[in-house]
Amino acid sequence: MPSSALIRNRLATAIRVALVAVVALAMSLAAAPTAQAAGGGPSITKKQFGTLPNGQKIDIYTLRNSSGMRVKILTYGGILQSIEVPDSGGRFANVTLGFDNLSDYVKKSPYFGCITGRYANRVAKGRFTLDGKTYQLATNDGPNHLHGGTKGFDKRVWEAHPVKRHDSVGLMLTYTSPNGEESYPGTLRTKVVYTLTDDNRIRMDYRATTSRPTIVNLTNHAYFNLRGEGNGRILGHELQINASRYTPVDKTLIPTGKIARLGGTPLDFREPTAIGDRINSENQQIVRGGGYDHNYVLDSRGRVLGLAARVVEPDSGRVLEVITDQPGLQFYSGNFLDGTLRGTSGHLYPKRSGFALESQHFPDSPNHENFPSTVLRPGDVYRTTTIYAFSTV
Ligand code: BGC
């Protein structure tokens, strides 16, 4: 029989071993973000994110690819809630602005990560005429209509279906907007498929059909900070946009109708330039936007799925490329962020701590004959694709 001293000794050893195991487990969990790259094929999981005031449950889907990149998507607004990508040293960070709770998305989101529609961007005075009939939409941005109105696609609950392939994982979201919703004509059946591929791309395929002639302009409104959300301003990011022209705006940010050359202006990003280099210029357009808030007319003119913009963040080495088949790209430098919103990781978001590159048709197209048409008729199918491609330098 072992003596009681021996039993005490063995007990103490067992406790020490257990403590070491607990500490090791805690350390491996803390290191999890950098360990993401270790093994495993693409996966998708679902959890509850929150409950809307009307009792509806909102889910969050986590998509993970074989290289460890993770993307989280909400059924509320089809929101890209988190995008975790590696820097040039393999360290992962969430590079999109957002919140860690549903209530903030419902009450105060400036369109973080959402599907924006039915008409992304502005319609002057909320008014447009189609086939001789004039429609009055909500004016929710000064005198104008913005991003689909008071309760646009960003505030709707989307039905979700996971899609799995051997080298990608996706989430198909559908929403049927009834005839007259937000005063838009026609029942619009909308489908957006987010696909995360093994080469760190988020591909967004949009599709819509209508029961009556209508207008449609869908985009995703993710704000990016390639240093990691909540990690300062985006002024040092180097941006390149493949556009030689843009649509100048009036004081209310509605296009004047001109398609103007960018050459010689501080809005020209054909050569990679830091966002902050010319952002305080006296240029009338920049003053009107409070920074950059302009639609770039892409040189591809939306005829091919091509590279629209490339952003390099020099400190982290992270790179974002926006590839699209749309004719326009709104570059918004986060001028209306004002330091009052507390983001996903608990940090406040100061002015210009995120930027958006929204692939789209031009703002206020229904009121400009010379802009590519945004009319959708019964029998026609609205289809468009945009890709956020991540890499490092
Ligand atoms: C617009 C900005 C607007 C922002 C709202 C952008 O797409 O261009 O003017 O303030 O969305 O978050």
Side-chain angles (χ1 to χ4, degrees), residues 110-111 121-122 146-147 221 223 253 293 330 332 336 358:
Y111 302 92
N121 215 313
R122 294 179 172 80
L146 178 70
H147 296 331
H221 205 295
Y223 288 61
L253 301 186
D293 198 349
Q330 182 84 8
Y332 170 56
F336 295 114
E358 306 150 51

Side-chain angles (χ1 to χ4, degrees), residues 232-345:
R233 299 180 203 261
I234 45 83
L235 301 175
H237 287 57
E238 286 158 13
L239 169 66
Q240 189 207 340
I241 307 179
N242 289 331
S244 321
R245 295 178 305 157
Y246 76 118
T247 51
V249 287
D250 69 12
K251 283 197 293 247
T252 71
L253 301 186
I254 291 290
T256 58
K258 274 205 201 107
I259 296 192
R261 290 192 184 283
L262 283 161
T265 76
L267 291 96
D268 187 358
F269 279 95
R270 283 174 295 177
E271 292 298 322
T273 312
I275 293 175
D277 273 8
R278 303 163 298 175
I279 204 164
N280 295 317
S281 136
E282 303 281 287
N283 173 283
Q284 186 204 47
Q285 284 296 313
I286 295 199
V287 172
R288 283 187 176 165
Y292 297 102
D293 198 349
H294 296 85
N295 170 61
Y296 284 72
V297 175
L298 296 171
D299 289 341
S300 66
R301 289 166 173 265
R303 281 192 289 246
V304 287
L305 185 63
L307 181 68
R310 183 166 197 266
V311 191
V312 178
E313 200 290 299
D315 293 338
S316 63
R318 292 193 183 94
V319 178
L320 164 67
E321 288 177 333
V322 179
I323 298 162
T324 189
D325 58 13
Q326 285 287 298
L329 187 76
Q330 182 84 8
F331 167 41
Y332 170 56
S333 52
N335 315 307
F336 295 114
L337 294 171
D338 61 3
T340 56
L341 298 179
R342 194 172 290 285
T344 319
S345 61

